[in-house]
Amino acid sequence: MKAEDRVSVIGGHLTATTVSDASVGKTSANPNPTRTRPPITTHVLDVSRGSPAAGIEVQLETWKGPEPRPLFGKSYTGGWAFLGSSTTNNDGRSGQLMSVVDDINPGIYRISFNTGKYCPSGFFPYVSIVFEIKETQKREHFHLPLLLSPFSFSTYRGS
């Protein structure tokens, strides 16, 4: 990757839509975080083309529902709170979905991808990944890549 491409990728992370620290529930007493990137990041790779997937809308939410955690198979109204959104760049990387904070609030998070707009003839209108950050993990980084094709997807916790 050329140096100017790397600068463009980094710039994309810094210029995307962000949200206030209050909505993220900043728990760090330090107003100047020591992290250099948000605690939750993502990128999308189109494995059917063998290239990054540009132009996919991404949304990050946290669980704020009536129960401590969403229960499988139960419907909720108003349980998810919006944290931020972005669109993947030419390298398939999402911009900043939340503020850069030292400590992320433990809890349940959901990251969703508008895959139907990217691949209208595909099987998945959107993909949502629900994951939990525990108290002991609040200083860790969580990278959730999405590997996508028209009829399948997979994900993992990356670095």
Side-chain angles (χ1 to χ4, degrees), residues 16-119:
T17 304
T18 61
V19 295
S20 70
D21 288 341
S23 66
V24 176
K26 184 175 178 181
T27 59
S28 174
N30 181 359
N32 300 311
T34 56
R35 285 186 194 259
T36 58
R37 60 186 172 177
I40 299 173
T41 58
T42 190
H43 74 274
V44 183
L45 300 175
D46 185 332
V47 294
S48 67
R49 295 181 184 164
S51 63
I56 294 184
E57 298 167 350
V58 182
Q59 181 174 302
L60 180 65
E61 301 163 289
T62 187
W63 177 251
K64 298 289 184 191
E67 305 201 20
R69 61 188 307 127
L71 300 175
F72 178 78
K74 186 170 179 183
S75 297
Y76 296 96
T77 302
W80 293 100
F82 177 84
L83 292 178
S85 65
S86 180
T87 301
T88 58
N89 63 17
N90 288 338
D91 197 34
R93 297 192 180 275
S94 168
Q96 196 167 317
L97 296 170
M98 64 184 307
S99 296
V100 178
V101 294
D102 279 335
D103 295 346
I104 186 168
N105 279 344
I108 309 289
Y109 291 82
R110 178 169 69 182
I111 191 166
S112 299
F113 304 84
N114 189 355
T115 53
K117 185 175 178 183
Y118 173 79
C119 184

Side-chain angles (χ1 to χ4, degrees), residues 124-143:
F124 303 101
Y126 67 91
V127 170
S128 290
I129 302 165
V130 178
F131 59 100
E132 183 173 13
I133 298 175
K134 307 220 183 268
E135 177 69 29
T136 58
Q137 298 173 311
K138 66 184 181 182
R139 290 192 160 268
E140 295 180 25
H141 179 250
F142 298 86
H143 186 69

